[in-house]
Amino acid sequence: MMPGILGTGIIGDQAMAINSILTNTSTSILANVSGDVYLIGPDAIVTTSGDAVNGANTTTAKRIIVQGSLISEQDGIDLGVGGSGGFNQVSIASTGYIFAESDGIEAEGGGNVIVNEGSIFAVNDGMFLLNDGNTVTNYGNITGATDGIDITGNFNTVTNYGQITGGDEGIEIAGNLNVIYNYGAITTTDEFIGNEAVEASTSTGETFFLYN
């Protein structure tokens, strides 16, 4: 159940609802309509035992805007399932905050655009992304007790102007033609042998680019 609907609009031939969460709730936000906008307002705190925003389905082109706080015993935001349900947009404002006991943001479908200006803290990965063509831009703080960002797929791009920290790796990325642009700081908090600020895994013939 959605706590509120702010308004509706049209994108192309598709009706778009703007679902607004403006007050505190302990109910997971079900993001299951393609093209809809899900807005967590600056005064809202979503505290859940499941995913705070549950978009783990095959619908695409959803937009998640976090101006308030997501506190979850699972994922903060969960998008896509089984390699489908991609092409979503996620925006974490400077006032936005995610704390998750699993992943801060998990997205499986590919083609997602994620911009973080706030703070993401996760017991597992700050972001866990699968599939191809994801774009992540970080101006804020992303921290994962395992990895700051973990991406598996091809043609993914991470641009960092802020701080990305992982207990194991700051960024762990695997696949072909992935690119990292770093204008901020990417670090690991555990200097155990084998842990790195950036760990890139490629197969024979694959290429990875890091600009620092």
Side-chain angles (χ1 to χ4, degrees):
M1 180 177 65
M2 192 61 55
I5 295 181
L6 185 64
T8 59
I10 299 292
I11 298 179
D13 296 326
Q14 182 177 10
M16 174 195 69
I18 302 175
N19 304 279
S20 61
I21 298 86
L22 303 178
T23 57
N24 297 347
T25 180
S26 58
T27 301
S28 293
I29 309 307
L30 186 60
N32 63 350
V33 179
S34 293
D36 271 13
V37 176
Y38 299 86
L39 169 67
I40 293 88
D43 296 324
I45 302 174
V46 180
T47 306
T48 62
S49 57
D51 299 330
V53 176
N54 182 1
N57 48 62
T58 59
T59 59
T60 61
K62 302 179 290 288
R63 187 176 181 191
I64 314 296
I65 302 171
V66 180
Q67 299 172 334
S69 298
L70 305 178
I71 301 172
S72 170
E73 293 182 14
Q74 295 187 29
D75 295 328
I77 299 174
D78 192 353
L79 295 171
V81 62
S84 62
F87 302 97
N88 303 290
Q89 298 180 45
V90 179
S91 300
I92 312 299
S94 59
T95 56
Y97 173 84
I98 296 176
F99 175 82
E101 294 188 20
S102 185
D103 299 319
I105 298 174
E106 179 177 340
E108 296 190 16
N112 299 288
V113 177
I114 302 173
V115 178
N116 176 53
E117 298 180 77
S119 297
I120 300 173
F121 299 93
V123 174
N124 194 12
D125 297 323
M127 294 185 189
F128 178 78
L129 309 179
L130 296 176
N131 226 307
D132 304 334
N134 295 291
T135 300
V136 176
T137 305
N138 177 53
Y139 298 94
N141 181 22
I142 301 172
T143 300
T146 303
D147 297 324
I149 299 176
D150 186 343
I151 301 180
T152 300
N154 306 315
F155 307 106
N156 297 288
T157 301
V158 177
T159 304
N160 177 50
Y161 297 95
Q163 175 77 44
I164 300 174
T165 305
D168 293 339
E169 277 74 42
I171 297 177
E172 182 172 0
I173 194 164
N176 189 33
L177 296 174
N178 295 307
V179 184
I180 297 174
Y181 299 95
N182 181 43
Y183 305 99
I186 303 173
T187 60
T188 174
T189 59
D190 188 344
E191 297 182 357
F192 183 78
I193 294 174
N195 291 343
E196 301 167 330
V198 176
E199 179 179 298
S201 301
T202 57
S203 300
T204 302
E206 293 183 337
T207 305
F208 161 76
F209 301 95
L210 171 62
Y211 300 93
N212 187 34

PDB file of all heavy atoms in Angstrom, residues 85-124:
ATOM      1  N   GLY A  85      13.960  -6.094 -15.575  1.00  0.00           N
ATOM      2  CA  GLY A  85      13.471  -5.010 -14.741  1.00  0.00           C
ATOM      3  C   GLY A  85      14.460  -3.872 -14.587  1.00  0.00           C
ATOM      4  O   GLY A  85      14.560  -3.274 -13.512  1.00  0.00           O
ATOM      5  N   GLY A  86      15.197  -3.551 -15.644  1.00  0.00           N
ATOM      6  CA  GLY A  86      16.209  -2.504 -15.582  1.00  0.00           C
ATOM      7  C   GLY A  86      15.709  -1.166 -16.086  1.00  0.00           C
ATOM      8  O   GLY A  86      14.524  -0.884 -16.122  1.00  0.00           O
ATOM      9  N   PHE A  87      16.679  -0.321 -16.467  1.00  0.00           N
ATOM     10  CA  PHE A  87      16.421   1.013 -17.019  1.00  0.00           C
ATOM     11  C   PHE A  87      15.653   1.899 -16.051  1.00  0.00           C
ATOM     12  O   PHE A  87      14.770   2.660 -16.436  1.00  0.00           O
ATOM     13  CB  PHE A  87      15.707   0.906 -18.371  1.00  0.00           C
ATOM     14  CG  PHE A  87      16.489   0.118 -19.382  1.00  0.00           C
ATOM     15  CD1 PHE A  87      16.209  -1.228 -19.595  1.00  0.00           C
ATOM     16  CD2 PHE A  87      17.529   0.697 -20.066  1.00  0.00           C
ATOM     17  CE1 PHE A  87      16.947  -1.975 -20.500  1.00  0.00           C
ATOM     18  CE2 PHE A  87      18.285  -0.043 -20.984  1.00  0.00           C
ATOM     19  CZ  PHE A  87      17.983  -1.376 -21.204  1.00  0.00           C
ATOM     20  N   ASN A  88      16.020   1.788 -14.766  1.00  0.00           N
ATOM     21  CA  ASN A  88      15.429   2.626 -13.735  1.00  0.00           C
ATOM     22  C   ASN A  88      16.352   3.797 -13.411  1.00  0.00           C
ATOM     23  O   ASN A  88      17.538   3.771 -13.727  1.00  0.00           O
ATOM     24  CB  ASN A  88      15.188   1.800 -12.468  1.00  0.00           C
ATOM     25  CG  ASN A  88      14.316   0.595 -12.725  1.00  0.00           C
ATOM     26  OD1 ASN A  88      13.129   0.717 -12.975  1.00  0.00           O
ATOM     27  ND2 ASN A  88      14.911  -0.603 -12.681  1.00  0.00           N
ATOM     28  N   GLN A  89      15.788   4.819 -12.771  1.00  0.00           N
ATOM     29  CA  GLN A  89      16.566   5.959 -12.304  1.00  0.00           C
ATOM     30  C   GLN A  89      16.430   6.066 -10.787  1.00  0.00           C
ATOM     31  O   GLN A  89      15.317   6.011 -10.260  1.00  0.00           O
ATOM     32  CB  GLN A  89      16.075   7.255 -12.940  1.00  0.00           C
ATOM     33  CG  GLN A  89      16.211   7.310 -14.445  1.00  0.00           C
ATOM     34  CD  GLN A  89      15.701   8.627 -14.992  1.00  0.00           C
ATOM     35  OE1 GLN A  89      15.991   9.699 -14.462  1.00  0.00           O
ATOM     36  NE2 GLN A  89      14.918   8.552 -16.054  1.00  0.00           N
ATOM     37  N   VAL A  90      17.571   6.209 -10.119  1.00  0.00           N
ATOM     38  CA  VAL A  90      17.575   6.372  -8.668  1.00  0.00           C
ATOM     39  C   VAL A  90      18.351   7.638  -8.338  1.00  0.00           C
ATOM     40  O   VAL A  90      19.495   7.804  -8.777  1.00  0.00           O
ATOM     41  CB  VAL A  90      18.214   5.166  -7.956  1.00  0.00           C
ATOM     42  CG1 VAL A  90      18.232   5.393  -6.444  1.00  0.00           C
ATOM     43  CG2 VAL A  90      17.473   3.877  -8.294  1.00  0.00           C
ATOM     44  N   SER A  91      17.734   8.518  -7.556  1.00  0.00           N
ATOM     45  CA  SER A  91      18.383   9.757  -7.137  1.00  0.00           C
ATOM     46  C   SER A  91      18.338   9.843  -5.615  1.00  0.00           C
ATOM     47  O   SER A  91      17.259   9.826  -5.024  1.00  0.00           O
ATOM     48  CB  SER A  91      17.676  10.977  -7.736  1.00  0.00           C
ATOM     49  OG  SER A  91      17.703  10.931  -9.147  1.00  0.00           O
ATOM     50  N   ILE A  92      19.510   9.926  -4.994  1.00  0.00           N
ATOM     51  CA  ILE A  92      19.609  10.140  -3.552  1.00  0.00           C
ATOM     52  C   ILE A  92      20.043  11.584  -3.356  1.00  0.00           C
ATOM     53  O   ILE A  92      21.153  11.969  -3.733  1.00  0.00           O
ATOM     54  CB  ILE A  92      20.624   9.187  -2.892  1.00  0.00           C
ATOM     55  CG1 ILE A  92      20.410   7.735  -3.358  1.00  0.00           C
ATOM     56  CG2 ILE A  92      20.543   9.306  -1.372  1.00  0.00           C
ATOM     57  CD1 ILE A  92      19.077   7.156  -3.034  1.00  0.00           C
ATOM     58  N   ALA A  93      19.170  12.406  -2.801  1.00  0.00           N
ATOM     59  CA  ALA A  93      19.467  13.824  -2.612  1.00  0.00           C
ATOM     60  C   ALA A  93      20.493  14.009  -1.499  1.00  0.00           C
ATOM     61  O   ALA A  93      20.829  13.080  -0.757  1.00  0.00           O
ATOM     62  CB  ALA A  93      18.181  14.580  -2.289  1.00  0.00           C
ATOM     63  N   SER A  94      20.982  15.243  -1.355  1.00  0.00           N
ATOM     64  CA  SER A  94      21.970  15.539  -0.312  1.00  0.00           C
ATOM     65  C   SER A  94      21.392  15.303   1.078  1.00  0.00           C
ATOM     66  O   SER A  94      22.142  15.043   2.033  1.00  0.00           O
ATOM     67  CB  SER A  94      22.462  16.985  -0.444  1.00  0.00           C
ATOM     68  OG  SER A  94      21.382  17.894  -0.341  1.00  0.00           O
ATOM     69  N   THR A  95      20.067  15.362   1.198  1.00  0.00           N
ATOM     70  CA  THR A  95      19.401  15.082   2.478  1.00  0.00           C
ATOM     71  C   THR A  95      19.054  13.609   2.624  1.00  0.00           C
ATOM     72  O   THR A  95      18.555  13.191   3.673  1.00  0.00           O
ATOM     73  CB  THR A  95      18.096  15.895   2.582  1.00  0.00           C
ATOM     74  OG1 THR A  95      17.268  15.598   1.437  1.00  0.00           O
ATOM     75  CG2 THR A  95      18.392  17.383   2.629  1.00  0.00           C
ATOM     76  N   GLY A  96      19.308  12.808   1.585  1.00  0.00           N
ATOM     77  CA  GLY A  96      18.922  11.405   1.586  1.00  0.00           C
ATOM     78  C   GLY A  96      19.902  10.527   2.346  1.00  0.00           C
ATOM     79  O   GLY A  96      21.117  10.764   2.357  1.00  0.00           O
ATOM     80  N   TYR A  97      19.359   9.492   2.970  1.00  0.00           N
ATOM     81  CA  TYR A  97      20.167   8.586   3.806  1.00  0.00           C
ATOM     82  C   TYR A  97      19.615   7.178   3.658  1.00  0.00           C
ATOM     83  O   TYR A  97      18.408   6.962   3.717  1.00  0.00           O
ATOM     84  CB  TYR A  97      20.088   9.035   5.275  1.00  0.00           C
ATOM     85  CG  TYR A  97      20.738   8.104   6.263  1.00  0.00           C
ATOM     86  CD1 TYR A  97      22.106   8.162   6.512  1.00  0.00           C
ATOM     87  CD2 TYR A  97      19.982   7.161   6.964  1.00  0.00           C
ATOM     88  CE1 TYR A  97      22.703   7.304   7.421  1.00  0.00           C
ATOM     89  CE2 TYR A  97      20.566   6.308   7.878  1.00  0.00           C
ATOM     90  CZ  TYR A  97      21.929   6.380   8.105  1.00  0.00           C
ATOM     91  OH  TYR A  97      22.512   5.530   9.005  1.00  0.00           O
ATOM     92  N   ILE A  98      20.511   6.217   3.448  1.00  0.00           N
ATOM     93  CA  ILE A  98      20.127   4.805   3.396  1.00  0.00           C
ATOM     94  C   ILE A  98      21.010   4.030   4.357  1.00  0.00           C
ATOM     95  O   ILE A  98      22.251   4.132   4.293  1.00  0.00           O
ATOM     96  CB  ILE A  98      20.282   4.220   1.976  1.00  0.00           C
ATOM     97  CG1 ILE A  98      19.337   4.911   0.986  1.00  0.00           C
ATOM     98  CG2 ILE A  98      20.015   2.715   1.984  1.00  0.00           C
ATOM     99  CD1 ILE A  98      19.516   4.447  -0.454  1.00  0.00           C
ATOM    100  N   PHE A  99      20.388   3.255   5.242  1.00  0.00           N
ATOM    101  CA  PHE A  99      21.105   2.258   6.035  1.00  0.00           C
ATOM    102  C   PHE A  99      20.436   0.917   5.793  1.00  0.00           C
ATOM    103  O   PHE A  99      19.223   0.777   5.981  1.00  0.00           O
ATOM    104  CB  PHE A  99      21.093   2.562   7.529  1.00  0.00           C
ATOM    105  CG  PHE A  99      21.740   1.462   8.332  1.00  0.00           C
ATOM    106  CD1 PHE A  99      23.116   1.408   8.459  1.00  0.00           C
ATOM    107  CD2 PHE A  99      20.970   0.459   8.894  1.00  0.00           C
ATOM    108  CE1 PHE A  99      23.719   0.366   9.160  1.00  0.00           C
ATOM    109  CE2 PHE A  99      21.560  -0.580   9.600  1.00  0.00           C
ATOM    110  CZ  PHE A  99      22.948  -0.630   9.730  1.00  0.00           C
ATOM    111  N   ALA A 100      21.227  -0.064   5.362  1.00  0.00           N
ATOM    112  CA  ALA A 100      20.660  -1.377   5.031  1.00  0.00           C
ATOM    113  C   ALA A 100      21.526  -2.478   5.632  1.00  0.00           C
ATOM    114  O   ALA A 100      22.756  -2.411   5.589  1.00  0.00           O
ATOM    115  CB  ALA A 100      20.575  -1.552   3.518  1.00  0.00           C
ATOM    116  N   GLU A 101      20.854  -3.510   6.145  1.00  0.00           N
ATOM    117  CA  GLU A 101      21.582  -4.649   6.704  1.00  0.00           C
ATOM    118  C   GLU A 101      21.992  -5.642   5.628  1.00  0.00           C
ATOM    119  O   GLU A 101      22.717  -6.592   5.905  1.00  0.00           O
ATOM    120  CB  GLU A 101      20.757  -5.321   7.796  1.00  0.00           C
ATOM    121  CG  GLU A 101      20.562  -4.416   9.015  1.00  0.00           C
ATOM    122  CD  GLU A 101      19.915  -5.132  10.184  1.00  0.00           C
ATOM    123  OE1 GLU A 101      19.950  -6.373  10.224  1.00  0.00           O
ATOM    124  OE2 GLU A 101      19.364  -4.429  11.060  1.00  0.00           O
ATOM    125  N   SER A 102      21.542  -5.426   4.386  1.00  0.00           N
ATOM    126  CA  SER A 102      22.040  -6.184   3.242  1.00  0.00           C
ATOM    127  C   SER A 102      22.733  -5.192   2.312  1.00  0.00           C
ATOM    128  O   SER A 102      23.777  -4.651   2.662  1.00  0.00           O
ATOM    129  CB  SER A 102      20.914  -6.943   2.536  1.00  0.00           C
ATOM    130  OG  SER A 102      21.446  -7.752   1.494  1.00  0.00           O
ATOM    131  N   ASP A 103      22.179  -4.912   1.122  1.00  0.00           N
ATOM    132  CA  ASP A 103      22.772  -3.946   0.204  1.00  0.00           C
ATOM    133  C   ASP A 103      22.022  -2.621   0.270  1.00  0.00           C
ATOM    134  O   ASP A 103      20.796  -2.591   0.400  1.00  0.00           O
ATOM    135  CB  ASP A 103      22.714  -4.466  -1.244  1.00  0.00           C
ATOM    136  CG  ASP A 103      23.485  -5.771  -1.416  1.00  0.00           C
ATOM    137  OD1 ASP A 103      24.589  -5.891  -0.843  1.00  0.00           O
ATOM    138  OD2 ASP A 103      22.993  -6.663  -2.130  1.00  0.00           O
ATOM    139  N   GLY A 104      22.768  -1.529   0.125  1.00  0.00           N
ATOM    140  CA  GLY A 104      22.116  -0.230   0.102  1.00  0.00           C
ATOM    141  C   GLY A 104      21.187  -0.112  -1.094  1.00  0.00           C
ATOM    142  O   GLY A 104      20.012   0.213  -0.970  1.00  0.00           O
ATOM    143  N   ILE A 105      21.730  -0.403  -2.283  1.00  0.00           N
ATOM    144  CA  ILE A 105      20.950  -0.449  -3.511  1.00  0.00           C
ATOM    145  C   ILE A 105      21.340  -1.711  -4.260  1.00  0.00           C
ATOM    146  O   ILE A 105      22.523  -1.950  -4.513  1.00  0.00           O
ATOM    147  CB  ILE A 105      21.203   0.781  -4.407  1.00  0.00           C
ATOM    148  CG1 ILE A 105      20.784   2.071  -3.692  1.00  0.00           C
ATOM    149  CG2 ILE A 105      20.466   0.641  -5.739  1.00  0.00           C
ATOM    150  CD1 ILE A 105      21.142   3.336  -4.452  1.00  0.00           C
ATOM    151  N   GLU A 106      20.360  -2.534  -4.604  1.00  0.00           N
ATOM    152  CA  GLU A 106      20.584  -3.718  -5.430  1.00  0.00           C
ATOM    153  C   GLU A 106      19.753  -3.583  -6.697  1.00  0.00           C
ATOM    154  O   GLU A 106      18.553  -3.310  -6.634  1.00  0.00           O
ATOM    155  CB  GLU A 106      20.199  -5.006  -4.701  1.00  0.00           C
ATOM    156  CG  GLU A 106      20.397  -6.256  -5.562  1.00  0.00           C
ATOM    157  CD  GLU A 106      20.095  -7.551  -4.834  1.00  0.00           C
ATOM    158  OE1 GLU A 106      20.103  -7.538  -3.581  1.00  0.00           O
ATOM    159  OE2 GLU A 106      19.846  -8.566  -5.513  1.00  0.00           O
ATOM    160  N   ALA A 107      20.396  -3.756  -7.857  1.00  0.00           N
ATOM    161  CA  ALA A 107      19.690  -3.655  -9.129  1.00  0.00           C
ATOM    162  C   ALA A 107      20.230  -4.722 -10.073  1.00  0.00           C
ATOM    163  O   ALA A 107      21.436  -4.794 -10.293  1.00  0.00           O
ATOM    164  CB  ALA A 107      19.864  -2.267  -9.734  1.00  0.00           C
ATOM    165  N   GLU A 108      19.335  -5.526 -10.630  1.00  0.00           N
ATOM    166  CA  GLU A 108      19.757  -6.675 -11.431  1.00  0.00           C
ATOM    167  C   GLU A 108      19.521  -6.514 -12.930  1.00  0.00           C
ATOM    168  O   GLU A 108      20.053  -7.272 -13.716  1.00  0.00           O
ATOM    169  CB  GLU A 108      19.037  -7.942 -10.950  1.00  0.00           C
ATOM    170  CG  GLU A 108      19.388  -8.357  -9.531  1.00  0.00           C
ATOM    171  CD  GLU A 108      18.836  -9.730  -9.193  1.00  0.00           C
ATOM    172  OE1 GLU A 108      18.459 -10.475 -10.116  1.00  0.00           O
ATOM    173  OE2 GLU A 108      18.784 -10.060  -7.993  1.00  0.00           O
ATOM    174  N   GLY A 109      18.713  -5.535 -13.331  1.00  0.00           N
ATOM    175  CA  GLY A 109      18.244  -5.521 -14.713  1.00  0.00           C
ATOM    176  C   GLY A 109      19.147  -4.858 -15.723  1.00  0.00           C
ATOM    177  O   GLY A 109      18.965  -5.026 -16.921  1.00  0.00           O
ATOM    178  N   GLY A 110      20.111  -4.045 -15.311  1.00  0.00           N
ATOM    179  CA  GLY A 110      20.958  -3.330 -16.246  1.00  0.00           C
ATOM    180  C   GLY A 110      20.320  -2.048 -16.738  1.00  0.00           C
ATOM    181  O   GLY A 110      19.116  -1.827 -16.614  1.00  0.00           O
ATOM    182  N   GLY A 111      21.153  -1.171 -17.285  1.00  0.00           N
ATOM    183  CA  GLY A 111      20.674   0.079 -17.841  1.00  0.00           C
ATOM    184  C   GLY A 111      20.166   1.068 -16.818  1.00  0.00           C
ATOM    185  O   GLY A 111      19.445   2.018 -17.160  1.00  0.00           O
ATOM    186  N   ASN A 112      20.531   0.899 -15.551  1.00  0.00           N
ATOM    187  CA  ASN A 112      20.072   1.799 -14.495  1.00  0.00           C
ATOM    188  C   ASN A 112      20.966   3.034 -14.396  1.00  0.00           C
ATOM    189  O   ASN A 112      22.172   2.969 -14.656  1.00  0.00           O
ATOM    190  CB  ASN A 112      20.068   1.070 -13.153  1.00  0.00           C
ATOM    191  CG  ASN A 112      19.146  -0.118 -13.149  1.00  0.00           C
ATOM    192  OD1 ASN A 112      17.926   0.014 -13.133  1.00  0.00           O
ATOM    193  ND2 ASN A 112      19.722  -1.327 -13.184  1.00  0.00           N
ATOM    194  N   VAL A 113      20.374   4.150 -14.032  1.00  0.00           N
ATOM    195  CA  VAL A 113      21.106   5.393 -13.808  1.00  0.00           C
ATOM    196  C   VAL A 113      20.926   5.775 -12.343  1.00  0.00           C
ATOM    197  O   VAL A 113      19.797   6.009 -11.893  1.00  0.00           O
ATOM    198  CB  VAL A 113      20.604   6.518 -14.720  1.00  0.00           C
ATOM    199  CG1 VAL A 113      21.336   7.826 -14.405  1.00  0.00           C
ATOM    200  CG2 VAL A 113      20.791   6.148 -16.189  1.00  0.00           C
ATOM    201  N   ILE A 114      22.034   5.824 -11.599  1.00  0.00           N
ATOM    202  CA  ILE A 114      21.983   6.072 -10.160  1.00  0.00           C
ATOM    203  C   ILE A 114      22.862   7.269  -9.831  1.00  0.00           C
ATOM    204  O   ILE A 114      24.044   7.291 -10.187  1.00  0.00           O
ATOM    205  CB  ILE A 114      22.450   4.836  -9.365  1.00  0.00           C
ATOM    206  CG1 ILE A 114      21.585   3.618  -9.719  1.00  0.00           C
ATOM    207  CG2 ILE A 114      22.402   5.116  -7.864  1.00  0.00           C
ATOM    208  CD1 ILE A 114      22.079   2.322  -9.120  1.00  0.00           C
ATOM    209  N   VAL A 115      22.291   8.254  -9.156  1.00  0.00           N
ATOM    210  CA  VAL A 115      23.033   9.434  -8.722  1.00  0.00           C
ATOM    211  C   VAL A 115      22.887   9.558  -7.215  1.00  0.00           C
ATOM    212  O   VAL A 115      21.766   9.624  -6.691  1.00  0.00           O
ATOM    213  CB  VAL A 115      22.526  10.714  -9.408  1.00  0.00           C
ATOM    214  CG1 VAL A 115      23.303  11.928  -8.893  1.00  0.00           C
ATOM    215  CG2 VAL A 115      22.661  10.605 -10.926  1.00  0.00           C
ATOM    216  N   ASN A 116      24.008   9.592  -6.505  1.00  0.00           N
ATOM    217  CA  ASN A 116      23.990   9.720  -5.055  1.00  0.00           C
ATOM    218  C   ASN A 116      24.673  11.013  -4.626  1.00  0.00           C
ATOM    219  O   ASN A 116      25.843  11.236  -4.909  1.00  0.00           O
ATOM    220  CB  ASN A 116      24.704   8.546  -4.383  1.00  0.00           C
ATOM    221  CG  ASN A 116      24.770   8.733  -2.871  1.00  0.00           C
ATOM    222  OD1 ASN A 116      23.753   8.967  -2.216  1.00  0.00           O
ATOM    223  ND2 ASN A 116      25.979   8.670  -2.320  1.00  0.00           N
ATOM    224  N   GLU A 117      23.905  11.851  -3.931  1.00  0.00           N
ATOM    225  CA  GLU A 117      24.462  13.053  -3.312  1.00  0.00           C
ATOM    226  C   GLU A 117      24.399  12.961  -1.786  1.00  0.00           C
ATOM    227  O   GLU A 117      24.863  13.869  -1.102  1.00  0.00           O
ATOM    228  CB  GLU A 117      23.689  14.283  -3.786  1.00  0.00           C
ATOM    229  CG  GLU A 117      23.776  14.528  -5.285  1.00  0.00           C
ATOM    230  CD  GLU A 117      23.007  15.757  -5.710  1.00  0.00           C
ATOM    231  OE1 GLU A 117      23.523  16.872  -5.493  1.00  0.00           O
ATOM    232  OE2 GLU A 117      21.892  15.600  -6.254  1.00  0.00           O
ATOM    233  N   GLY A 118      23.817  11.882  -1.277  1.00  0.00           N
ATOM    234  CA  GLY A 118      23.636  11.720   0.153  1.00  0.00           C
ATOM    235  C   GLY A 118      24.591  10.702   0.736  1.00  0.00           C
ATOM    236  O   GLY A 118      25.766  10.635   0.372  1.00  0.00           O
ATOM    237  N   SER A 119      24.072   9.868   1.653  1.00  0.00           N
ATOM    238  CA  SER A 119      24.890   8.885   2.366  1.00  0.00           C
ATOM    239  C   SER A 119      24.231   7.516   2.297  1.00  0.00           C
ATOM    240  O   SER A 119      23.033   7.386   2.562  1.00  0.00           O
ATOM    241  CB  SER A 119      25.060   9.286   3.838  1.00  0.00           C
ATOM    242  OG  SER A 119      25.750  10.523   3.949  1.00  0.00           O
ATOM    243  N   ILE A 120      25.032   6.518   1.946  1.00  0.00           N
ATOM    244  CA  ILE A 120      24.579   5.135   1.876  1.00  0.00           C
ATOM    245  C   ILE A 120      25.519   4.292   2.717  1.00  0.00           C
ATOM    246  O   ILE A 120      26.737   4.303   2.489  1.00  0.00           O
ATOM    247  CB  ILE A 120      24.573   4.620   0.423  1.00  0.00           C
ATOM    248  CG1 ILE A 120      23.632   5.461  -0.447  1.00  0.00           C
ATOM    249  CG2 ILE A 120      24.183   3.146   0.379  1.00  0.00           C
ATOM    250  CD1 ILE A 120      23.710   5.121  -1.927  1.00  0.00           C
ATOM    251  N   PHE A 121      24.970   3.564   3.694  1.00  0.00           N
ATOM    252  CA  PHE A 121      25.746   2.665   4.540  1.00  0.00           C
ATOM    253  C   PHE A 121      25.086   1.288   4.500  1.00  0.00           C
ATOM    254  O   PHE A 121      23.875   1.177   4.690  1.00  0.00           O
ATOM    255  CB  PHE A 121      25.792   3.167   5.991  1.00  0.00           C
ATOM    256  CG  PHE A 121      26.429   4.515   6.147  1.00  0.00           C
ATOM    257  CD1 PHE A 121      25.655   5.665   6.141  1.00  0.00           C
ATOM    258  CD2 PHE A 121      27.803   4.635   6.294  1.00  0.00           C
ATOM    259  CE1 PHE A 121      26.227   6.914   6.273  1.00  0.00           C
ATOM    260  CE2 PHE A 121      28.399   5.877   6.430  1.00  0.00           C
ATOM    261  CZ  PHE A 121      27.608   7.027   6.419  1.00  0.00           C
ATOM    262  N   ALA A 122      25.875   0.253   4.262  1.00  0.00           N
ATOM    263  CA  ALA A 122      25.305  -1.084   4.138  1.00  0.00           C
ATOM    264  C   ALA A 122      26.210  -2.108   4.810  1.00  0.00           C
ATOM    265  O   ALA A 122      27.438  -2.004   4.760  1.00  0.00           O
ATOM    266  CB  ALA A 122      25.096  -1.447   2.676  1.00  0.00           C
ATOM    267  N   VAL A 123      25.587  -3.120   5.400  1.00  0.00           N
ATOM    268  CA  VAL A 123      26.328  -4.206   6.043  1.00  0.00           C
ATOM    269  C   VAL A 123      26.967  -5.106   4.988  1.00  0.00           C
ATOM    270  O   VAL A 123      28.014  -5.693   5.214  1.00  0.00           O
ATOM    271  CB  VAL A 123      25.398  -5.002   6.974  1.00  0.00           C
ATOM    272  CG1 VAL A 123      26.104  -6.218   7.545  1.00  0.00           C
ATOM    273  CG2 VAL A 123      24.891  -4.091   8.101  1.00  0.00           C
ATOM    274  N   ASN A 124      26.358  -5.185   3.810  1.00  0.00           N
ATOM    275  CA  ASN A 124      26.943  -5.947   2.704  1.00  0.00           C
ATOM    276  C   ASN A 124      27.605  -4.958   1.735  1.00  0.00           C
ATOM    277  O   ASN A 124      28.643  -4.399   2.041  1.00  0.00           O
ATOM    278  CB  ASN A 124      25.877  -6.805   2.028  1.00  0.00           C
ATOM    279  CG  ASN A 124      26.468  -7.857   1.107  1.00  0.00           C
ATOM    280  OD1 ASN A 124      27.667  -8.108   1.129  1.00  0.00           O
ATOM    281  ND2 ASN A 124      25.635  -8.471   0.296  1.00  0.00           N
TER     282      ASN A 124
END
